[in-house]
Every structure is written in C-alpha cells, then in structure tokens.
Amino acid sequence: MKVVIQRVSKASVTIEGKKVASIENGLLILLGIVNEDAQDDINWLSNKIGNLRIFEDENGVMNKSLLDAQGDAVVVSQFTLHASTKKGNRPSYIKAAKPDVAIPLYESFVKQLEKDLGKKVQTGQFGTDMKVELLNDGPVTIIIDSKNRL
C-alpha cells in the first residue's frame, strides 16, 4: 500500500461537477493498493499517517501530528501510484489491484483511519473520474510505502 500525503490548507474532490469532499487544514491522502496488501498494511499506514509530525507547533517547527493539530483528512483512490515506467513511454498499471481486491481494502483503510483519528474522513469515489483541488501547505508532500516499513 502506497500513499502520497500532502499537508493542505484546503482540498476538495469534485465528481461530475458536484463537490463530494472538502476539507481545510489537514491531509490529502492519495492511496494506491496492490494485490499483496492486507489489514496489517492498513493498520500500520493509518497509525503512521495519524501520528506523523508534519504540522507546525507554536515555534514554527514541524512537531505536531494530524491528531495534535486536529486536522481533517480526505482519501482519494489512486491506482496510478503503482505505475511502472521501466519500459517504453506508456506506464503499466499491472501492479495495481483490481477493483474486487482494491475496493474492500480502500474502504477498510478509510474506516481504520476514522477510528485512529476519532473523526469522519472524507473521500472521493473509487474508480471514478475525479477533479482534485488542493492548496499544498508548505509545500509538504510525503510518500509512504507500507512495504518499506521494515
């Protein structure tokens, strides 16, 4: 499981002209899933995201977590995070999990993140063409892969 997290002043997701998610001061989380991902990846990643100290404290030092900052989160499915660009110029997405595997893991990730944060997490819609807008704060952008945790 791979995520790109971006600290944002605001972020939103629009589908077919309708805004389905909108946050201020928090994290936009782009989530990519592969077939090998499991609940332990979800648990580890959710805990890491909630506790990662990337928000500024009163001294301007990145010393607060999303939990400390009481920020919000929006999760967007992003199969292209697992693109392979080794051969040719057209990316291959063969590593990305198919919907029958990815959807339950995506939904489980959102539920686990809600549990860890103690609040509702907004989402895009899996497998849909989405327009994602954000104002990256910092900018702070971090990539985390649950397979690289050991």
Side-chain angles (χ1 to χ4, degrees):
M1 198 165 276
K2 187 183 291 185
V3 293
V4 173
I5 58 174
Q6 296 179 298
R7 187 178 75 184
V8 297
S9 296
K10 62 181 176 178
S12 65
V13 179
T14 302
I15 300 171
E16 295 180 357
K18 181 181 177 200
K19 194 173 283 190
V20 297
S22 181
I23 65 165
E24 293 186 11
N25 300 316
L27 295 177
L28 170 64
I29 303 165
L30 304 175
L31 174 68
I33 299 168
V34 294
N35 287 323
E36 298 78 26
D37 288 329
Q39 191 64 43
D40 65 317
D41 295 290
I42 290 168
N43 296 343
W44 180 84
L45 200 50
S46 177
N47 181 64
K48 177 64 84 175
I49 290 169
N51 290 292
L52 197 62
R53 298 184 329 183
I54 58 172
F55 290 86
E56 292 180 358
D57 64 15
E58 56 282 348
N59 298 315
V61 177
M62 285 197 286
N63 205 26
K64 287 187 172 186
S65 68
L66 183 61
L67 285 163
D68 298 330
Q70 298 180 343
D72 292 315
V74 61
V75 178
V76 174
S77 61
Q78 186 79 45
F79 75 93
T80 59
L81 290 180
H82 292 288
S84 173
T85 57
K86 287 182 182 180
K87 247 170 77 174
N89 294 317
R90 184 178 183 164
S92 168
Y93 305 107
I94 198 153
K95 290 183 181 180
K98 302 287 185 250
D100 61 321
V101 171
I103 291 172
L105 290 170
Y106 171 80
E107 291 171 350
S108 182
F109 175 80
V110 171
K111 286 179 185 168
Q112 184 63 48
L113 190 58
E114 288 178 334
K115 181 180 173 188
D116 289 347
L117 296 177
K119 64 168 60 176
K120 178 85 172 130
V121 170
Q122 296 192 48
T123 66
Q125 186 176 344
F126 190 94
T128 303
D129 181 42
M130 295 173 271
K131 306 302 178 205
V132 179
E133 292 184 79
L134 69 131
L135 181 56
N136 193 319
D137 181 18
V140 175
T141 302
I142 297 175
I143 301 168
I144 306 171
D145 189 331
S146 65
K147 303 303 187 233
N148 294 334
R149 65 181 163 207
L150 302 175

